[in-house]
Amino acid sequence: MQIEKNKSLRAYNTFGIDVNASAFISVGSIEDLRTIITDYDRKELFILGGGSNMLLTQSLEKLVIHINLKGVEVISESESEVLLKVMAGENWHELVMYCIERDYGGIENLSLIPGNTGTAPIQNIGAYGVELEDVFVQCTALELASGKEVIFDKRTCNFGYRNSIFKNEAKDQYIITSVTLKLTKKDHKLNISYGAIADVLAQRNIAQPSIRDISEAVISIRRSKLPDPDVLGNSGSFFKNPILTAEEFQHFRNRHPDAPFYEVSPTEFKIPAGWLIDKAGFKGKRFGDAGIHEHQALVLVNHGNATGAEIWELALRIQKKIKEEFGIYIEPEVNVF
Ligand code: EPU
C-alpha cells in the first residue's frame, strides 16, 4: 500500500474539480482497508467511491481512501434466479453490461448510471421506473470505529427515494465493501412504464423487448439528455425532485396547470426539479465555467475550469430563485464537501 501526498482529485470526481487531497491511497483488499481504518481516526479519513455524486468545494486535509475492491461472484443460483455478490469498486455500468451479456434481468433500466456499485445503496440509485432496492438483497460494510464487518439487509438499509440509512443514522460510519443482488434468469420482469422507453421501443418496432433492448433504449435516452462526464463534468441530477403534500400540490397546480408531476401516493406529489429550473429560465445558462445543461436543467455542469465553490454558488442561486418563484425548496442530491 502506497500513500501519495498532495494528489489532485480531478480524475476521481465526475465534476472534474481540481482540488488536492493531502494524502491518497487506493485500496484493493479488505485486509488493507481494515488496517487503515484501525490505524486512523475516522475524522482523518475521506472515503471515495466512483466520485459521481459529489461536489468538492475545497482541498481535503485528510487521507482519501479510494475504494478499489474488485470482483463479481455468483453466490447461488436456481433455474430462475441468481444471487450476485459484487465488490464495491466495480463500475456500475460495467456490471449492468456483464448482466445483459449473461441475460440476468433486473438492472437494465439502470444502464449508464455513473459511479461504483459500492456507493449505489447510499442513495438508492434509480432511473426509468427502477431503483436499486428492487433487486437488492444485502451489503457488507466495515464499521469505521471498530473495523468489524456488518451486514445490512434490505430492511435495515431503510431505502427511500434517493435515500438510505447511509445518508442518515449510519452516515460516515461505514465503508460498503460489497453488494449482493438478486436477478432473474428467465421470465424477466420488464419495466417499460416510463413513457420515453416505450417511445424508443415503438420507434424501433420492438414489440417483445429483451433486457438488452431495454438497456439500449435507456442508453439512447440518457445520451440524448445527460452529458457524458468524460466530455462535460457533471454529477447527474444536482437536486432531488421535491415532494409536495396534497395541499401544497393543489396550490402549485392551480398556478401551474401545465407542470408535469408524479403521484407518489394520494398525499404525496413529486414535481420534476428540472421543470422548475427550466421554467425559472436557467436551462443552458452559463456563469463563467459553471453552467446548467442545455438538455436537462437538473444537471449542473463544469465547462472546464469551474471551481467547486463556483458550482455551489450557482446551485444556491438556483435554489433561492425556485423558492422565490414557486415557494418550493429543492434539496441537493449530490454530497457537498
Ligand atoms: N423537464 C423539463 N425541463 C428540463 C428537464 C426536465 O421540462 O430541463 C421535464 C421533462 O420534460 C419531464 C420531467 O421534467 O416532463 C421529468 O424529466 P426527466 O424525465 O428527465 O426526469 P427527472 O425527473 O428530471 C429523474 C432522475 C434521473 C433519472 C430520470 C429518469 C432524480 C433527481 N432524477 O430525473 O436521475 O435518470 O428521472 O428516471 O430523481 C440522477 O439521479 O443523477 C439522474 C439522472
Side-chain angles (χ1 to χ4, degrees):
M1 279 193 294
Q2 203 198 332
I3 296 186
E4 295 173 67
K5 299 278 179 202
N6 285 323
K7 169 102 170 167
S8 166
L9 296 178
R10 190 171 199 148
Y12 293 89
N13 71 99
T14 58
F15 253 124
I17 304 293
D18 195 9
V19 293
N20 276 0
S22 55
F24 177 96
I25 189 165
S26 189
V27 181
S29 80
I30 295 198
E31 297 73 57
D32 287 350
L33 200 52
R34 192 173 271 127
T35 307
I36 293 171
I37 62 180
T38 14
D39 285 356
Y40 285 80
D41 186 274
R42 71 184 153 111
K43 292 196 186 67
E44 300 172 288
L45 301 174
F46 182 94
I47 315 303
L48 177 69
S52 64
N53 202 37
M54 61 185 217
L55 177 65
L56 297 168
T57 62
Q58 55 193 328
S59 287
L60 300 175
E61 298 300 323
K62 294 191 177 200
L63 173 61
V64 171
I65 306 181
H66 177 231
I67 306 298
N68 202 20
L69 304 168
K70 298 285 187 189
V72 181
E73 188 191 346
V74 172
I75 317 193
S76 69
E77 62 185 314
S78 67
E79 211 183 291
S80 56
E81 284 177 339
V82 60
L83 277 193
L84 214 56
K85 180 178 175 182
V86 188
M87 298 307 288
E90 289 289 341
N91 174 273
W92 176 263
H93 179 66
E94 281 169 24
L95 172 69
V96 176
M97 293 297 102
Y98 169 101
C99 292
I100 302 286
E101 281 305 312
R102 287 159 182 78
D103 202 30
Y104 296 160
I107 54 175
E108 54 283 355
N109 293 48
L110 305 179
S111 298
L112 217 59
I113 295 185
N116 286 353
T117 306
T119 40
I122 300 176
Q123 54 149 343
N124 185 21
I125 58 168
Y128 308 105
V130 173
E131 288 182 309
L132 180 77
E133 66 174 303
D134 301 330
V135 293
F136 182 90
V137 177
Q138 65 173 50
C139 63
T140 55
L142 288 188
E143 189 182 28
L144 285 166
S146 64
K148 278 201 204 120
E149 186 175 271
V150 183
I151 292 176
F152 290 87
D153 63 16
K154 195 162 156 169
R155 193 183 55 82
T156 49
C157 280
N158 204 9
F159 290 121
Y161 164 59
R162 296 292 192 277
N163 206 2
S164 76
I165 191 170
F166 302 107
K167 283 193 141 188
N168 296 287
E169 304 94 282
K171 191 172 162 60
D172 299 333
Q173 290 179 53
Y174 297 91
I175 299 177
I176 297 173
T177 48
S178 76
V179 177
T180 301
L181 307 176
K182 188 197 259 184
L183 303 168
T184 50
K185 286 172 66 180
K186 61 178 197 182
D187 303 330
H188 302 307
K189 293 174 200 69
L190 305 182
N191 190 325
I192 50 169
S193 58
Y194 201 87
I197 296 188
D199 293 346
V200 173
L201 294 173
Q203 275 160 25
R204 296 181 179 177
N205 286 319
I206 299 171
Q208 305 260 301
S210 63
I211 58 169
R212 185 183 293 276
D213 293 327
I214 293 188
S215 168
E216 285 171 2
V218 167
I219 289 173
S220 83
I221 299 165
R222 288 188 76 98
R223 287 215 170 112
S224 70
K225 289 192 180 185
L226 300 170
D228 176 353
D230 288 339
V231 180
L232 190 60
N234 76 91
S235 208
S237 302
F238 195 90
F239 297 97
K240 289 189 193 182
N241 288 332
I243 296 174
L244 306 187
T245 63
E247 200 185 324
E248 289 163 344
F249 176 68
Q250 204 46 57
H251 181 69
F252 171 78
R253 186 125 176 95
N254 290 340
R255 297 180 57 190
H256 305 284
D258 56 329
F261 67 92
Y262 171 71
E263 188 175 335
V264 183
S265 75
T267 54
E268 294 171 304
F269 297 82
K270 206 190 259 182
I271 312 292
W275 184 88
L276 299 170
I277 300 168
D278 188 349
K279 195 82 177 167
F282 282 107
K283 193 167 179 169
K285 289 265 165 62
R286 187 173 168 165
F287 303 84
D289 267 0
I292 299 101
H293 189 49
E294 55 179 334
H295 301 309
Q296 170 42 298
L298 194 49
V299 178
L300 301 193
V301 294
N302 175 6
H303 284 285
N305 290 308
T307 63
E310 284 163 347
I311 291 182
W312 184 229
E313 199 184 308
L314 174 57
L316 292 177
R317 182 198 279 222
I318 293 171
Q319 201 180 40
K320 186 160 173 270
K321 185 88 188 289
I322 299 304
K323 183 76 191 158
E324 283 165 6
E325 219 159 281
F326 302 97
I328 295 176
Y329 168 73
I330 51 170
E331 185 193 349
E333 200 226 296
V334 303
N335 300 305
V336 182
F337 298 99

